Amino acid sequence: MATIGLDKLYYSKITEDENGEETYGLPAVLAKAIKADLSVELSEAVLYADDGAAEVIKDFKSGKLSLGVDDIGVSAATDLTGATIDDNGVLISTSESNGPSVAVGFRAQKADGRYRYFWLYRVKFGLPATNLQTKGDSITFSTPTIEGTVLRRNKLDGNGKHPWKAEVTEGDASVPAAVISGWYTQVYEPVYSGGV
């Protein structure tokens, strides 16, 4: 079903242990969302046998997330891009600014009024783009865009896999209500009863 809205854009700082496995901090509001574009790049291999394709493997390689937001606050900018704040409270971006990876969560409203919820487990952002324009006969809003690379997380889930995204639709009969009501209290952790 088509989506007609986007809101509740959050991020969660990541702490890594000595093995690189992620622990997620409490989610915080990133900004008011205007637009989110997610594209995925796959690694593909085709095995040919008997003059035709016998096996095809398509694995997640990485993704690109482009977020249009109303404004990136100073706190979010330091957490996402590695920029610093000087003694006068001025945000300083340097050529060495290299922010840590974060998890990103948001929701998209569907045409039936229900929401589809997302967590991207590991996103590495670059510096935000700024587009400015002088006022003319009419007012045009200029808003920042920030782009990040979506990666799989290092920590294995209960099935021994490396997830990169969690997605759920509100109102699905198989989804406990607590999953939706707690979506922004912590980064969603996959649950499996069997495991590996």
Side-chain angles (χ1 to χ4, degrees), residues 47-130:
L47 172 67
Y48 291 93
D50 286 339
D51 294 334
E55 299 283 337
V56 177
I57 302 290
K58 293 185 180 207
D59 285 338
F60 174 80
K61 184 176 178 180
S62 67
K64 289 286 181 202
L65 177 65
S66 179
L67 294 175
V69 296
D70 69 332
D71 189 23
I72 298 174
V74 173
S75 179
T78 59
D79 290 343
L80 271 55
T81 68
T84 58
I85 301 170
D86 76 0
D87 292 344
N88 292 318
V90 176
L91 184 68
I92 306 296
S93 297
T94 66
S95 61
E96 295 83 9
S97 294
N98 188 13
S101 296
V102 297
V104 176
F106 52 91
R107 71 180 187 173
Q109 187 176 21
K110 296 172 44 166
D112 65 2
R114 295 183 301 163
Y115 288 91
R116 182 172 294 142
Y117 291 79
F118 298 85
W119 271 111
L120 302 174
Y121 286 112
R122 192 174 183 94
V123 182
K124 179 86 166 173
F125 284 103
L127 296 174
T130 305

Side-chain angles (χ1 to χ4, degrees), residues 30-45:
L30 194 158
K32 290 184 178 180
I34 296 172
K35 185 177 183 180
D37 291 324
L38 176 62
S39 60
V40 176
E41 187 176 341
L42 300 175
S43 295
E44 183 176 329

Side-chain angles (χ1 to χ4, degrees), residues 153 156-161 163 165 188-196:
R153 74 177 192 184
L156 295 173
D157 65 14
N159 277 341
K161 308 279 187 195
K165 177 177 77 165
Y188 180 77
E189 188 63 38
V191 176
Y192 299 102
S193 56
V196 271

Side-chain angles (χ1 to χ4, degrees), residues 2 8 11-12 32 48-49 52 54 84 87 118 131 140 142 158 175-176 184:
K8 295 209 179 240
Y11 73 98
S12 175
K32 290 184 178 180
Y48 291 93
T84 58
D87 292 344
F118 298 85
N131 300 304
T140 302
S142 296
V175 177
Y184 295 110

